Amino acid sequence: MRALLILALALGLIGPAWAKKDKPGADWILAEQVKQTLMAAGYSSITELEADDGHWEGEGLKNDVKMEFHVDSKTGTITKEKPDKD
């Protein structure tokens, strides 16, 4: 029982460090450039944009459909688009 309590406390203290968001690298294109690329590709609004796992990731509206997308961090190429089910 004591070991479980210690483990729970340790995870509680360490957990928030794992939840930190990624930060764009020095060689990444700027978020504003990503938004311009998305708008040129038909997005009418970008509701979320963040650095995640080495790429830009977010949500926006395209043809009145809420979409999720990934954008290459160095080239600005849209690498993934799919309707957001949430």
Side-chain angles (χ1 to χ4, degrees):
M1 182 70 165
R2 186 174 181 180
L4 288 175
L5 179 60
I6 292 171
L7 178 61
L9 288 172
L11 290 175
L13 296 173
I14 296 170
W18 292 339
K20 287 185 181 175
K21 290 187 179 186
D22 294 342
K23 293 187 179 179
D27 58 345
W28 284 33
I29 63 170
L30 300 174
E32 190 57 40
Q33 291 171 298
V34 173
K35 290 178 184 177
Q36 290 173 0
T37 297
L38 291 163
M39 298 302 255
Y43 282 82
S44 58
S45 69
I46 310 303
T47 56
E48 186 177 320
L49 182 63
E50 64 186 23
D52 187 43
D53 295 331
H55 59 264
W56 288 105
E57 181 176 304
E59 298 175 353
L61 288 177
K62 183 175 183 179
N63 301 321
D64 294 324
V65 176
K66 187 174 179 185
M67 302 286 287
E68 294 180 12
F69 57 79
H70 290 180
V71 177
D72 185 277
S73 61
K74 296 178 177 77
T75 67
T77 303
I78 299 170
T79 58
K80 179 180 177 182
E81 289 180 291
K82 67 177 188 173
D84 184 10
K85 302 289 184 186
D86 295 336

